[in-house]
């Protein structure tokens, strides 16, 4: 399913075209992966609509890819033919800069993203440098593993950046696929933490309560207790301002969004310094993922175990999955089942 031209989904609900292409050939350091499942992520909407545009078109999107090694370049030795692997948002990084050397390869200036800077997994085949492919724990089926590779890994990194300690309060603004995985991680790792969910849809709030949230409410509500740290996974600005009022002194808001939409940017003018920022409140974003985030999270997810809620689509139904995501018809993670 190929993206040939950027567009707005409201105007063109079928941005991807079913296309027959030759099988890609792996370079010396790459493996060829036959794809069996690929998660659908909100970032694909940001790519299609030009907020984080692919540098070259046409391109195949998709960065939560699970499949099996079908062929290998001459210089590969980590995986065997038939091994199950995952490919995440990080397709490559330079390996030499100060960020890469300190384990923050997600911040590398040469960071290349799967399904944006290079072809991704909305396809039957993908090639990837083998050092950037990840073994998938046996605990998961292919379909279950796919959404863990982005929503789970970035959720894991976001949670790390909150510095949450057991017994503290955590807020989650928006309750899509990343947030629901964070809630599962928190209830396992921090059994005494209370999780407050801010979500607009009643369905999402019910879903959150089913999964053990302590409190749920609308993003505009004041939470019944002040909150140590909040992760915002929404594409809008209003929730940022609303979240800040619920933070404790010294609290931190982590924004887990690759881009924010412009539609409600004027909400930022509601920012009131004494209520929202004073008392040493912090705002921090989370950017990309390092390989270590993906791998540590997969191990943790298998140990818990985290089984994401899945909604399956066929590869040819990718456009429909994207439109539903745009309309926020969300209950768990959308995954394309391929072949
Ligand atoms: Zn993603
Ligand atoms: Zn680097």
């Amino acid at each position: 399913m190929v993206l040939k031209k950027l567009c707005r989904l409201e105007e063109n609900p079928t941005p991807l075209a079913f296309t027959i292409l030759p099988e890609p050939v792996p370079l010396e350091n790459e493996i060829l992966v036959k794809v069996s499942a690929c998660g659908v992520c909100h970032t694909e909407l940001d790519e299609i609509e030009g907020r984080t545009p692919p540098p070259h078109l046409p391109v195949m999107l998709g960065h939560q890819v699970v499949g099996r090694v079908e062929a290998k370049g001459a210089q590969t030795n980590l995986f065997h033919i038939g091994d199950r692997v995952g490919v995440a948002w990080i397709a490559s990084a330079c390996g030499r800069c100060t960020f890469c050397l300190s384990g923050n390869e997600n911040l590398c200036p040469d960071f290349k993203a799967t399904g944006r800077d290079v072809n991704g997994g909305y396809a039957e085949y993908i090639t990837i440098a083998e050092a950037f492919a990840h073994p998938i724990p046996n605990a998961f089926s292919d379909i279950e593993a796919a959404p863990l590779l982005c929503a789970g890994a970035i959720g894991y990194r976001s949670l790390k950046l909150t510095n949450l300690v057991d017994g503290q309060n955590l807020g989650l603004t928006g309750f899509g696929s990343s947030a629901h995985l964070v809630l599962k991680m928190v209830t396992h790792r921090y059994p005494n933490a209370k999780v407050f969910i801010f979500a607009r849809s009643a369905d999402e709030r019910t879903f959150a309560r089913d999964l053990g949230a302590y409190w749920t409410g609308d993003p505009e509500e004041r939470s019944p207790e002040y909150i140590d740290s909040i992760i915002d996974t929404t594409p809008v600005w209003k929730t940022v301002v609303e979240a800040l009022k619920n933070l404790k002194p010294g609290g931190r808001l982590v924004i887990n969004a690759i881009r924010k939409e412009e539609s409600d940017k004027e909400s930022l003018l509601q920012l009131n310094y004494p209520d929202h920022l004073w008392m040493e409140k912090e705002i921090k974003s989370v950017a990309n993922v390092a390989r270590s985030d993906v791998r540590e999270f997969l191990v943790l997810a298998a140990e818990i175990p985290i089984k994401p809620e899945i909604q399956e689509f066929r590869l040819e139904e990718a456009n429909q999955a994207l439109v539903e995501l745009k309309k926020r018809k969300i209950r768990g993670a959308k995954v394309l089942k391929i072949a």
Side-chain angles (χ1 to χ4, degrees):
M1 292 298 281
V2 177
L3 176 68
K4 294 182 174 155
K5 198 166 151 258
L6 304 191
C7 63
R8 294 187 50 213
L9 231 58
E10 287 98 338
E11 288 156 15
N12 176 10
T14 55
L16 308 184
F18 186 82
T19 311
I20 306 283
L21 294 168
E23 236 174 75
V25 177
L27 302 175
E28 284 206 321
N29 64 334
E30 288 182 338
I31 50 177
L32 174 71
V33 178
K34 187 172 194 322
V35 180
S36 56
C38 184
V40 176
C41 178
H42 194 275
T43 300
E44 272 98 74
L45 303 178
D46 294 320
E47 295 180 49
I48 293 165
E49 299 190 320
R51 290 179 292 278
T52 178
H56 310 287
L57 292 171
V59 72
M60 278 169 279
L61 309 178
H63 54 264
Q64 312 180 78
V65 192
V66 178
R68 281 167 186 72
V69 178
E70 180 142 315
K72 301 161 26 120
Q75 301 295 321
T76 59
N77 51 33
L78 297 173
F79 295 104
H80 300 288
I81 303 289
D83 282 356
R84 187 164 72 145
V85 295
V87 181
W89 177 245
I90 181 165
S92 65
C94 81
R96 296 178 303 273
C97 72
T98 52
F99 297 111
C100 283
L101 294 174
S102 66
N104 291 317
E105 57 194 3
N106 57 308
L107 305 179
C108 174
D110 284 332
F111 182 94
K112 296 275 186 293
T114 310
R116 184 190 63 188
D117 305 323
V118 296
N119 280 330
Y122 283 31
E124 293 175 280
Y125 291 95
I126 183 175
T127 52
I128 180 81
E130 70 163 356
F132 288 83
H134 311 283
I136 303 285
N138 291 330
F140 308 112
S141 69
D142 297 3
I143 287 275
E144 287 167 343
L148 303 178
L149 288 162
C150 177
I154 191 95
Y156 177 80
R157 187 171 184 87
S158 311
L159 185 57
K160 262 207 290 201
L161 294 182
T162 64
N163 296 326
L164 187 76
V165 172
D166 195 20
Q168 288 187 333
N169 291 344
L170 176 74
L172 299 173
T173 299
F175 201 64
S177 64
S178 184
H180 100 273
L181 296 174
V182 170
L183 176 55
K184 290 185 177 197
M185 264 184 269
V186 171
T187 49
H188 175 80
R189 272 206 152 169
Y190 308 103
N192 301 307
K194 292 181 202 157
V195 184
F196 298 74
I197 305 291
F198 301 88
R200 196 163 302 293
S201 111
D203 283 353
E204 284 174 21
R205 294 196 295 261
T206 307
F207 183 34
R209 280 194 298 274
D210 290 348
L211 293 177
Y214 175 77
W215 176 90
T216 64
D218 190 85
E220 280 145 51
E221 276 180 63
R222 199 171 265 286
S223 50
E225 297 173 26
Y226 284 104
I227 299 177
D228 296 276
S229 44
I230 298 179
I231 301 171
D232 168 56
T233 54
T234 70
V236 294
W237 290 105
K238 184 165 193 194
T239 50
V240 168
V241 178
E242 298 293 345
L244 289 168
K245 74 171 189 246
N246 288 318
L247 279 182
K248 271 186 197 167
R252 178 180 279 189
L253 174 67
V254 175
I255 301 180
N256 171 5
I258 185 166
R259 293 292 183 273
K260 286 282 191 183
E261 292 174 7
E262 296 289 304
S263 54
D264 77 329
K265 208 167 179 182
E266 73 288 345
S267 305
L268 287 174
L269 293 174
Q270 303 305 313
L271 192 82
N272 175 18
Y273 183 74
D275 292 337
H276 296 124
L277 278 174
W278 193 56
M279 295 300 276
E280 305 191 350
K281 296 182 186 180
E282 282 180 275
I283 306 179
K284 190 175 179 70
S285 66
V286 54
N288 303 324
V289 284
R291 279 173 286 177
S292 55
D293 297 316
V294 179
R295 290 173 191 177
E296 287 167 24
F297 172 70
L298 287 173
V299 170
L300 174 66
E303 169 197 313
I304 293 177
I306 285 181
K307 297 275 183 170
E309 309 289 323
I310 302 283
Q311 194 189 355
E312 262 183 52
F313 294 82
R314 287 180 296 119
L315 176 60
E316 302 89 314
E317 295 171 325
N319 286 315
Q320 185 196 329
L322 289 164
V323 168
E324 284 188 20
L325 195 59
K326 176 83 184 174
K327 292 183 178 160
R328 314 239 172 103
K329 282 195 197 161
I330 300 165
R331 185 174 171 106
K334 299 183 195 299
V335 177
L336 306 178
K337 190 171 181 198
I338 298 163

